[in-house]
């Protein structure tokens, strides 16, 4: 089969189309014919030697952690899936998921059936960003109806899903994004939208219960001033998480970092919301998987609304 591998860590030029041995079927696993794979910042950070590189076991390495496709064969011990089923999942994170390949050996416990109203591209774009948003809001911030929730980088992959998840939970949602994305975010359900270019968040918003921070660094430190005395920030960028946590502790604010984990039950909740029309997955750009370098460059630009997807 064909797969995108890296044989050394570096820039987009290290992404290489290779012929590799197809994966072997294991107990409790299924072989999936990949139809689409999501591209996320963790992908290019790992390609550069950061991100999840320390969990990779070294090179050569097939990147990618989220995918959608059709089951080709089912291992022993599996009764919930059959050949031909359309599925999606977040695989193995932070260990290698190997989703940039025409076939994937997937742990059945990491998969759910693809909602019929989602394309394969939309389904591949949902698991990693969707589970990050879900786990940040529910597992770490304990989201409840009626709370005030600020979401920064709100038009991005995690952000645009978090806006909808928080709104579906009955929260008041304040989205932070550039002016060009304000109408879009209101369409997703944001109650208020703030332009970070022209407005200091802490000057515009107070008494916030939850901040989902997708920016990190000094911006996150300053945003802590918006929290009420019981409030909490979940900061996503791992590179600055400790910096933000340490700074917040000096001012008495609660901040936590997080790492997303595969969870089929939570992914099913997201799939149900999508099937009910309460969760829209924005696919900003689709690339043939042979153009993966261009997809990584687009992701690294930081200007993408929603998600980027490779199509097989």
């Amino acid at each position: 089969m064909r797969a995108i591998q890296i044989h050394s860590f570096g820039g987009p030029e290290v992404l290489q189309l290779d012929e590799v041995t197809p994966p072997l079927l294991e107990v409790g696993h299924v072989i999936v014919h990949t139809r689409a794979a999501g591209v996320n910042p963790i992908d290019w950070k790992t390609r550069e030697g950061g991100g999840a590189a320390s969990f990779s076991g070294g090179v050569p390495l097939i990147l990618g952690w989220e995918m959608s496709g059709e089951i080709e064969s089912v291992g022993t011990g599996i009764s919930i899936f059959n050949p031909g089923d359309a599925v999606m999942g977040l695989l193995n994170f932070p260990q290698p998921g190997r989703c940039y390949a025409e076939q994937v050996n997937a742990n059945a416990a990491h998969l759910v059936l693809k909602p019929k109203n989602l394309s394969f591209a939309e389904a591949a774009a949902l698991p990693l960003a969707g589970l990050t948003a879900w786990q940040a809001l529910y597992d770490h911030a304990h989201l409840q109806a009626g709370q005030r929730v600020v979401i920064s980088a709100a038009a991005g992959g995690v952000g645009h899903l978090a806006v909808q998840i928080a709104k579906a939970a009955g929260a008041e949602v304040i989205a932070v994004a550039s002016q060009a994305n304000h109408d879009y975010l209101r369409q997703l359900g944001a109650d208020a939208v703030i332009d970070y270019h022209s407005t200091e968040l802490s000057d515009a918003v107070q008494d916030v219960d939850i901040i989902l921070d997708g920016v990190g660094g000094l911006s996150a430190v300053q945003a802590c001033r918006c929290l009420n005395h019981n409030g909490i920030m979940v900061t996503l960028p791992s590179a600055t998480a400790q910096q933000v946590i340490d700074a917040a502790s000096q001012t008495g604010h609660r901040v936590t970092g997080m790492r997303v984990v595969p969870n089929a039950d939570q992914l099913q909740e997201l799939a149900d919301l999508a099937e009910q029309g309460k969760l829209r997955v924005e696919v900003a750009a689709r690339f043939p998987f042979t153009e993966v370098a261009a997809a990584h460059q687009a992701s690294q630009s930081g200007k993408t609304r929603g998600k980027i997807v490779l199509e097989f």
Side-chain angles (χ1 to χ4, degrees):
M1 69 172 185
R2 293 181 298 171
I4 303 296
Q5 286 195 124
I6 61 171
H7 295 265
S8 62
F9 296 108
E13 71 279 357
V14 304
L15 295 160
Q16 184 173 314
L17 179 63
D18 289 338
E19 291 281 345
V20 301
T21 303
L24 296 175
L25 187 60
E26 301 175 32
V27 175
H29 286 61
V30 299
I31 301 298
V32 181
H33 170 66
T34 312
R35 295 289 297 273
V39 174
N40 297 281
I42 191 67
D43 299 12
W44 53 261
K45 290 175 183 178
T46 302
R47 185 205 73 217
E48 292 180 335
S54 62
F55 298 94
S56 69
V59 292
L61 172 65
I62 300 174
L63 291 170
W65 281 275
E66 62 178 353
M67 48 70 66
S68 68
E70 294 153 326
I71 292 178
E72 292 189 351
S73 55
V74 177
T76 56
I78 303 300
S79 59
I80 56 173
F81 297 119
N82 297 294
D85 284 347
V87 294
M88 63 182 188
L90 170 65
L91 307 184
N92 303 336
F93 192 81
Q95 279 77 34
R98 301 185 177 92
C99 292
Y100 288 8
E102 291 180 317
Q103 291 182 322
V104 175
N105 177 27
N107 185 336
H110 295 169
L111 299 174
V112 300
L113 293 172
K114 179 184 78 67
K116 291 182 171 60
N117 61 332
L118 293 189
S119 68
F120 280 105
E122 290 167 332
L126 178 57
L128 192 151
L131 285 171
T132 299
W134 186 278
Q135 290 169 14
L137 291 170
Y138 281 111
D139 295 350
H140 295 275
H142 307 294
L143 174 66
Q144 298 177 31
Q147 288 185 315
R148 303 186 80 212
V149 179
V150 167
I151 298 167
S152 68
V158 174
H160 86 288
L161 296 171
V163 166
Q164 298 172 80
I165 292 167
K167 190 63 180 177
E172 177 188 347
V173 180
I174 302 159
V176 183
S178 61
Q179 182 71 41
N181 287 311
H182 285 196
D183 288 344
Y184 166 70
L185 289 165
R186 290 189 183 97
Q187 292 170 11
L188 295 183
D191 297 287
V193 189
I194 294 172
D195 183 358
Y196 63 88
H197 290 295
S198 61
T199 305
E200 181 64 49
L201 180 61
S202 58
D203 293 336
V205 183
Q206 295 295 325
D207 194 29
V208 169
D209 298 291
I210 297 170
I211 299 175
L212 178 51
D213 164 52
V215 178
L218 182 60
S219 174
V221 172
Q222 293 172 338
C224 287
R225 298 198 295 257
C226 303
L227 291 168
N228 60 35
H229 68 282
N230 289 320
I232 184 170
M233 171 187 286
V234 182
T235 183
L236 300 181
S238 58
T240 61
Q242 196 58 53
Q243 170 197 347
V244 179
I245 291 168
D246 291 345
S249 70
Q250 300 299 312
T251 55
H253 295 111
R254 284 197 302 154
V255 176
T256 183
M258 66 162 286
R259 176 190 293 147
V260 68
V261 294
N263 187 308
D265 290 337
Q266 293 173 342
L267 186 54
Q268 187 61 58
E269 297 266 13
L270 292 164
D272 291 343
L273 285 174
E275 201 142 38
Q276 296 161 12
K278 296 178 181 177
L279 187 66
R280 165 181 162 190
V281 184
E282 181 79 14
V283 177
R286 306 173 187 217
F287 292 84
F289 82 101
T290 53
E291 296 179 15
V292 61
H296 274 220
Q297 289 168 334
S299 178
Q300 284 188 258
S301 75
K303 299 177 181 178
T304 302
R305 175 189 288 181
K307 292 292 297 289
I308 295 170
V309 170
L310 301 176
E311 293 186 313
F312 290 76

